[in-house]
Amino acid sequence: MDTIIFDVDDTLYDQAQSFHKTVRKLFQEPFSNEEIDQLYKASRKYSEILFDQSEAGELSKFEWQTGRIIAACKDFNIPMDTEKAAIFHEMYVAEQKNIRLFPEVEELLNALYKEGKQLGILTNGEEKHQAMKIKQLGLTHWIPVERTFISGTIGHAKPKREVFDFIEEKMDLDQTKTVYIGDNFEKDIIGAKQAGWQAVWMNHRKKNLPPNATYKPDKEVHSAKELLDLFVK
């Protein structure tokens, strides 16, 4: 592969850590790690649903940001109103200012950079928030700003074909020599495959492949170590 493009959230770092810390700080209940993991997974599920509605203009950004934790808490009969959800979001964003790359991802980026591979970033989300995470992770050390793409800036979001076409033009890349790495099957794998790219599913949450999936990843890995081993022999 000549070009490797990465998703950010829960692909390059463990997004659940920020969520766990926020829950521990805001809630008085003595939740177990397993219980917080289940709440996190529910929150991510609703985040994807509400993000799409926000992109379609059906919800405000605030409704997306607060609605995901409200819906997740409802699944587990945990009291959560809009005011507390807004506080949760603010604390969650603050925690994300402390995120760190998986150590193996940092090793992978170093190796690919030294090999002269063309590296890029494609992430869904609001421009300012995603740019903050990209800066915190130090990704510009390997990937220049002109090869960093945020859906909120582009005006299209994964898995829409338009966002992949936009990047192809901007990076002048060859579809057949391009691979996209992401954790979300619907947004990342389907999006990349329908654009004609190869796709690696960073499935460290060990989700099941959707039944009767039209597309399948070219490779599936379950940890940052497996991702590193896939590219660095």
mmCIF file of all heavy atoms in Angstrom, residues 39-69:
data_model
loop_
_atom_site.group_PDB
_atom_site.id
_atom_site.type_symbol
_atom_site.label_atom_id
_atom_site.label_comp_id
_atom_site.label_asym_id
_atom_site.label_seq_id
_atom_site.Cartn_x
_atom_site.Cartn_y
_atom_site.Cartn_z
ATOM 1 N N LEU A 39 -22.202 0.802 29.410
ATOM 2 C CA LEU A 39 -22.752 2.147 29.230
ATOM 3 C C LEU A 39 -22.025 2.875 28.103
ATOM 4 O O LEU A 39 -22.652 3.571 27.292
ATOM 5 C CB LEU A 39 -22.625 2.938 30.535
ATOM 6 C CG LEU A 39 -23.280 4.324 30.575
ATOM 7 C CD1 LEU A 39 -24.791 4.217 30.376
ATOM 8 C CD2 LEU A 39 -22.961 5.021 31.895
ATOM 9 N N TYR A 40 -20.707 2.676 28.036
ATOM 10 C CA TYR A 40 -19.910 3.286 26.961
ATOM 11 C C TYR A 40 -20.359 2.780 25.594
ATOM 12 O O TYR A 40 -20.559 3.568 24.664
ATOM 13 C CB TYR A 40 -18.425 2.980 27.170
ATOM 14 C CG TYR A 40 -17.567 3.337 25.979
ATOM 15 C CD1 TYR A 40 -17.238 4.648 25.707
ATOM 16 C CD2 TYR A 40 -17.103 2.348 25.115
ATOM 17 C CE1 TYR A 40 -16.468 4.986 24.598
ATOM 18 C CE2 TYR A 40 -16.336 2.667 24.015
ATOM 19 C CZ TYR A 40 -16.025 3.998 23.762
ATOM 20 O OH TYR A 40 -15.264 4.317 22.656
ATOM 21 N N LYS A 41 -20.528 1.479 25.477
ATOM 22 C CA LYS A 41 -20.940 0.898 24.194
ATOM 23 C C LYS A 41 -22.303 1.426 23.770
ATOM 24 O O LYS A 41 -22.535 1.714 22.590
ATOM 25 C CB LYS A 41 -20.954 -0.631 24.286
ATOM 26 C CG LYS A 41 -19.564 -1.240 24.391
ATOM 27 C CD LYS A 41 -19.625 -2.748 24.597
ATOM 28 C CE LYS A 41 -18.232 -3.338 24.762
ATOM 29 N NZ LYS A 41 -18.266 -4.801 25.034
ATOM 30 N N ALA A 42 -23.216 1.556 24.741
ATOM 31 C CA ALA A 42 -24.546 2.095 24.433
ATOM 32 C C ALA A 42 -24.429 3.554 23.998
ATOM 33 O O ALA A 42 -25.080 3.988 23.034
ATOM 34 C CB ALA A 42 -25.457 1.974 25.649
ATOM 35 N N SER A 43 -23.580 4.301 24.685
ATOM 36 C CA SER A 43 -23.382 5.709 24.337
ATOM 37 C C SER A 43 -22.831 5.858 22.925
ATOM 38 O O SER A 43 -23.264 6.730 22.161
ATOM 39 C CB SER A 43 -22.420 6.359 25.341
ATOM 40 O OG SER A 43 -22.119 7.680 24.959
ATOM 41 N N ARG A 44 -21.886 4.995 22.554
ATOM 42 C CA ARG A 44 -21.320 5.054 21.191
ATOM 43 C C ARG A 44 -22.372 4.701 20.144
ATOM 44 O O ARG A 44 -22.419 5.297 19.078
ATOM 45 C CB ARG A 44 -20.128 4.095 21.078
ATOM 46 C CG ARG A 44 -18.935 4.447 21.933
ATOM 47 C CD ARG A 44 -18.519 5.902 21.804
ATOM 48 N NE ARG A 44 -18.242 6.266 20.415
ATOM 49 C CZ ARG A 44 -18.201 7.506 19.969
ATOM 50 N NH1 ARG A 44 -18.443 8.515 20.781
ATOM 51 N NH2 ARG A 44 -17.926 7.754 18.702
ATOM 52 N N LYS A 45 -23.211 3.731 20.469
ATOM 53 C CA LYS A 45 -24.285 3.341 19.528
ATOM 54 C C LYS A 45 -25.204 4.522 19.269
ATOM 55 O O LYS A 45 -25.492 4.863 18.119
ATOM 56 C CB LYS A 45 -25.074 2.166 20.108
ATOM 57 C CG LYS A 45 -26.256 1.735 19.236
ATOM 58 C CD LYS A 45 -27.077 0.640 19.897
ATOM 59 C CE LYS A 45 -27.891 1.181 21.057
ATOM 60 N NZ LYS A 45 -28.802 0.159 21.637
ATOM 61 N N TYR A 46 -25.643 5.171 20.339
ATOM 62 C CA TYR A 46 -26.544 6.314 20.183
ATOM 63 C C TYR A 46 -25.829 7.522 19.583
ATOM 64 O O TYR A 46 -26.430 8.320 18.871
ATOM 65 C CB TYR A 46 -27.182 6.673 21.524
ATOM 66 C CG TYR A 46 -28.197 5.649 21.975
ATOM 67 C CD1 TYR A 46 -28.011 4.919 23.145
ATOM 68 C CD2 TYR A 46 -29.340 5.386 21.222
ATOM 69 C CE1 TYR A 46 -28.932 3.966 23.559
ATOM 70 C CE2 TYR A 46 -30.271 4.432 21.622
ATOM 71 C CZ TYR A 46 -30.063 3.731 22.793
ATOM 72 O OH TYR A 46 -30.979 2.778 23.182
ATOM 73 N N SER A 47 -24.531 7.639 19.857
ATOM 74 C CA SER A 47 -23.773 8.747 19.285
ATOM 75 C C SER A 47 -23.768 8.665 17.767
ATOM 76 O O SER A 47 -23.936 9.680 17.076
ATOM 77 C CB SER A 47 -22.331 8.731 19.804
ATOM 78 O OG SER A 47 -21.606 9.848 19.325
ATOM 79 N N GLU A 48 -23.589 7.458 17.225
ATOM 80 C CA GLU A 48 -23.593 7.279 15.770
ATOM 81 C C GLU A 48 -24.963 7.609 15.184
ATOM 82 O O GLU A 48 -25.065 8.278 14.147
ATOM 83 C CB GLU A 48 -23.206 5.840 15.415
ATOM 84 C CG GLU A 48 -21.792 5.454 15.796
ATOM 85 C CD GLU A 48 -20.730 6.201 15.002
ATOM 86 O OE1 GLU A 48 -21.063 6.750 13.924
ATOM 87 O OE2 GLU A 48 -19.578 6.256 15.473
ATOM 88 N N ILE A 49 -26.018 7.156 15.837
ATOM 89 C CA ILE A 49 -27.372 7.400 15.346
ATOM 90 C C ILE A 49 -27.681 8.899 15.355
ATOM 91 O O ILE A 49 -28.170 9.468 14.370
ATOM 92 C CB ILE A 49 -28.407 6.641 16.209
ATOM 93 C CG1 ILE A 49 -28.224 5.127 16.046
ATOM 94 C CG2 ILE A 49 -29.828 7.052 15.838
ATOM 95 C CD1 ILE A 49 -29.024 4.301 17.042
ATOM 96 N N LEU A 50 -27.403 9.549 16.489
ATOM 97 C CA LEU A 50 -27.725 10.967 16.632
ATOM 98 C C LEU A 50 -26.793 11.846 15.802
ATOM 99 O O LEU A 50 -27.195 12.918 15.346
ATOM 100 C CB LEU A 50 -27.658 11.358 18.107
ATOM 101 C CG LEU A 50 -28.658 10.640 19.025
ATOM 102 C CD1 LEU A 50 -28.500 11.111 20.469
ATOM 103 C CD2 LEU A 50 -30.088 10.853 18.555
ATOM 104 N N PHE A 51 -25.549 11.396 15.587
ATOM 105 C CA PHE A 51 -24.637 12.142 14.720
ATOM 106 C C PHE A 51 -25.204 12.224 13.308
ATOM 107 O O PHE A 51 -25.183 13.288 12.679
ATOM 108 C CB PHE A 51 -23.255 11.483 14.693
ATOM 109 C CG PHE A 51 -22.300 12.122 13.710
ATOM 110 C CD1 PHE A 51 -21.656 13.306 14.033
ATOM 111 C CD2 PHE A 51 -22.063 11.551 12.470
ATOM 112 C CE1 PHE A 51 -20.782 13.903 13.125
ATOM 113 C CE2 PHE A 51 -21.197 12.141 11.566
ATOM 114 C CZ PHE A 51 -20.553 13.320 11.892
ATOM 115 N N ASP A 52 -25.710 11.106 12.816
ATOM 116 C CA ASP A 52 -26.299 11.095 11.476
ATOM 117 C C ASP A 52 -27.490 12.044 11.398
ATOM 118 O O ASP A 52 -27.679 12.752 10.397
ATOM 119 C CB ASP A 52 -26.742 9.674 11.103
ATOM 120 C CG ASP A 52 -25.563 8.743 10.854
ATOM 121 O OD1 ASP A 52 -24.442 9.246 10.653
ATOM 122 O OD2 ASP A 52 -25.760 7.514 10.865
ATOM 123 N N GLN A 53 -28.299 12.072 12.451
ATOM 124 C CA GLN A 53 -29.453 12.974 12.475
ATOM 125 C C GLN A 53 -29.005 14.433 12.536
ATOM 126 O O GLN A 53 -29.611 15.310 11.913
ATOM 127 C CB GLN A 53 -30.354 12.638 13.666
ATOM 128 C CG GLN A 53 -31.036 11.282 13.545
ATOM 129 C CD GLN A 53 -31.891 10.946 14.746
ATOM 130 O OE1 GLN A 53 -32.088 11.760 15.642
ATOM 131 N NE2 GLN A 53 -32.406 9.724 14.786
ATOM 132 N N SER A 54 -27.921 14.669 13.267
ATOM 133 C CA SER A 54 -27.367 16.019 13.341
ATOM 134 C C SER A 54 -26.821 16.453 11.988
ATOM 135 O O SER A 54 -27.033 17.594 11.550
ATOM 136 C CB SER A 54 -26.262 16.069 14.399
ATOM 137 O OG SER A 54 -25.660 17.347 14.452
ATOM 138 N N GLU A 55 -26.128 15.537 11.302
ATOM 139 C CA GLU A 55 -25.598 15.833 9.970
ATOM 140 C C GLU A 55 -26.713 16.147 8.986
ATOM 141 O O GLU A 55 -26.545 16.958 8.080
ATOM 142 C CB GLU A 55 -24.784 14.632 9.457
ATOM 143 C CG GLU A 55 -23.429 14.479 10.093
ATOM 144 C CD GLU A 55 -22.445 15.524 9.623
ATOM 145 O OE1 GLU A 55 -22.155 15.566 8.414
ATOM 146 O OE2 GLU A 55 -21.997 16.326 10.459
ATOM 147 N N ALA A 56 -27.866 15.500 9.185
ATOM 148 C CA ALA A 56 -29.011 15.715 8.290
ATOM 149 C C ALA A 56 -29.815 16.963 8.663
ATOM 150 O O ALA A 56 -30.806 17.291 8.001
ATOM 151 C CB ALA A 56 -29.925 14.493 8.323
ATOM 152 N N GLY A 57 -29.398 17.649 9.728
ATOM 153 C CA GLY A 57 -30.084 18.854 10.146
ATOM 154 C C GLY A 57 -31.323 18.609 10.984
ATOM 155 O O GLY A 57 -32.118 19.523 11.231
ATOM 156 N N GLU A 58 -31.488 17.364 11.442
ATOM 157 C CA GLU A 58 -32.679 17.007 12.215
ATOM 158 C C GLU A 58 -32.499 17.307 13.702
ATOM 159 O O GLU A 58 -33.478 17.419 14.447
ATOM 160 C CB GLU A 58 -32.996 15.521 12.024
ATOM 161 C CG GLU A 58 -33.308 15.157 10.580
ATOM 162 C CD GLU A 58 -33.334 13.660 10.338
ATOM 163 O OE1 GLU A 58 -33.223 12.899 11.325
ATOM 164 O OE2 GLU A 58 -33.451 13.248 9.170
ATOM 165 N N LEU A 59 -31.233 17.380 14.153
ATOM 166 C CA LEU A 59 -30.919 17.671 15.550
ATOM 167 C C LEU A 59 -29.835 18.739 15.605
ATOM 168 O O LEU A 59 -29.022 18.862 14.684
ATOM 169 C CB LEU A 59 -30.395 16.424 16.276
ATOM 170 C CG LEU A 59 -31.323 15.232 16.505
ATOM 171 C CD1 LEU A 59 -30.526 14.120 17.155
ATOM 172 C CD2 LEU A 59 -32.505 15.621 17.375
ATOM 173 N N SER A 60 -29.809 19.501 16.691
ATOM 174 C CA SER A 60 -28.702 20.435 16.902
ATOM 175 C C SER A 60 -27.493 19.664 17.413
ATOM 176 O O SER A 60 -27.607 18.519 17.868
ATOM 177 C CB SER A 60 -29.101 21.493 17.930
ATOM 178 O OG SER A 60 -29.251 20.910 19.210
ATOM 179 N N LYS A 61 -26.336 20.302 17.349
ATOM 180 C CA LYS A 61 -25.119 19.682 17.873
ATOM 181 C C LYS A 61 -25.275 19.391 19.366
ATOM 182 O O LYS A 61 -24.848 18.344 19.859
ATOM 183 C CB LYS A 61 -23.921 20.596 17.622
ATOM 184 C CG LYS A 61 -22.588 19.997 18.053
ATOM 185 C CD LYS A 61 -21.424 20.873 17.606
ATOM 186 C CE LYS A 61 -21.363 22.148 18.394
ATOM 187 N NZ LYS A 61 -20.134 22.938 18.091
ATOM 188 N N PHE A 62 -25.908 20.306 20.092
ATOM 189 C CA PHE A 62 -26.126 20.129 21.528
ATOM 190 C C PHE A 62 -27.005 18.914 21.793
ATOM 191 O O PHE A 62 -26.736 18.135 22.721
ATOM 192 C CB PHE A 62 -26.777 21.391 22.115
ATOM 193 C CG PHE A 62 -27.095 21.292 23.582
ATOM 194 C CD1 PHE A 62 -26.104 21.480 24.536
ATOM 195 C CD2 PHE A 62 -28.385 21.000 24.013
ATOM 196 C CE1 PHE A 62 -26.386 21.394 25.899
ATOM 197 C CE2 PHE A 62 -28.684 20.905 25.364
ATOM 198 C CZ PHE A 62 -27.685 21.101 26.304
ATOM 199 N N GLU A 63 -28.042 18.727 20.990
ATOM 200 C CA GLU A 63 -28.939 17.579 21.165
ATOM 201 C C GLU A 63 -28.203 16.273 20.895
ATOM 202 O O GLU A 63 -28.478 15.256 21.555
ATOM 203 C CB GLU A 63 -30.145 17.718 20.239
ATOM 204 C CG GLU A 63 -31.122 18.798 20.663
ATOM 205 C CD GLU A 63 -32.201 19.054 19.638
ATOM 206 O OE1 GLU A 63 -31.895 19.030 18.424
ATOM 207 O OE2 GLU A 63 -33.358 19.293 20.035
ATOM 208 N N TRP A 64 -27.285 16.282 19.951
ATOM 209 C CA TRP A 64 -26.476 15.086 19.687
ATOM 210 C C TRP A 64 -25.539 14.812 20.864
ATOM 211 O O TRP A 64 -25.458 13.683 21.372
ATOM 212 C CB TRP A 64 -25.672 15.285 18.396
ATOM 213 C CG TRP A 64 -24.474 14.396 18.252
ATOM 214 C CD1 TRP A 64 -24.418 13.051 18.447
ATOM 215 C CD2 TRP A 64 -23.141 14.803 17.899
ATOM 216 N NE1 TRP A 64 -23.135 12.587 18.232
ATOM 217 C CE2 TRP A 64 -22.337 13.633 17.889
ATOM 218 C CE3 TRP A 64 -22.559 16.015 17.557
ATOM 219 C CZ2 TRP A 64 -20.977 13.677 17.576
ATOM 220 C CZ3 TRP A 64 -21.210 16.051 17.239
ATOM 221 C CH2 TRP A 64 -20.437 14.893 17.256
ATOM 222 N N GLN A 65 -24.856 15.848 21.342
ATOM 223 C CA GLN A 65 -23.865 15.683 22.401
ATOM 224 C C GLN A 65 -24.488 15.227 23.721
ATOM 225 O O GLN A 65 -23.899 14.435 24.448
ATOM 226 C CB GLN A 65 -23.113 16.998 22.593
ATOM 227 C CG GLN A 65 -22.235 17.365 21.409
ATOM 228 C CD GLN A 65 -21.704 18.785 21.481
ATOM 229 O OE1 GLN A 65 -22.248 19.628 22.208
ATOM 230 N NE2 GLN A 65 -20.649 19.077 20.742
ATOM 231 N N THR A 66 -25.668 15.728 24.032
ATOM 232 C CA THR A 66 -26.324 15.358 25.287
ATOM 233 C C THR A 66 -27.223 14.136 25.132
ATOM 234 O O THR A 66 -27.363 13.339 26.067
ATOM 235 C CB THR A 66 -27.162 16.525 25.835
ATOM 236 O OG1 THR A 66 -28.120 16.936 24.824
ATOM 237 C CG2 THR A 66 -26.285 17.710 26.201
ATOM 238 N N GLY A 67 -27.801 13.992 23.947
ATOM 239 C CA GLY A 67 -28.767 12.910 23.730
ATOM 240 C C GLY A 67 -28.165 11.528 23.814
ATOM 241 O O GLY A 67 -28.822 10.575 24.256
ATOM 242 N N ARG A 68 -26.896 11.390 23.447
ATOM 243 C CA ARG A 68 -26.272 10.064 23.431
ATOM 244 C C ARG A 68 -26.133 9.489 24.837
ATOM 245 O O ARG A 68 -26.386 8.312 25.055
ATOM 246 C CB ARG A 68 -24.921 10.115 22.716
ATOM 247 C CG ARG A 68 -23.943 11.147 23.258
ATOM 248 C CD ARG A 68 -22.754 11.335 22.327
ATOM 249 N NE ARG A 68 -21.838 12.354 22.821
ATOM 250 C CZ ARG A 68 -20.784 12.781 22.136
ATOM 251 N NH1 ARG A 68 -20.506 12.251 20.950
ATOM 252 N NH2 ARG A 68 -19.989 13.713 22.628
ATOM 253 N N ILE A 69 -25.741 10.331 25.813
ATOM 254 C CA ILE A 69 -25.600 9.815 27.181
ATOM 255 C C ILE A 69 -26.972 9.678 27.843
ATOM 256 O O ILE A 69 -27.182 8.771 28.649
ATOM 257 C CB ILE A 69 -24.645 10.698 28.028
ATOM 258 C CG1 ILE A 69 -24.344 10.031 29.369
ATOM 259 C CG2 ILE A 69 -25.197 12.088 28.216
ATOM 260 C CD1 ILE A 69 -23.629 8.702 29.271
#
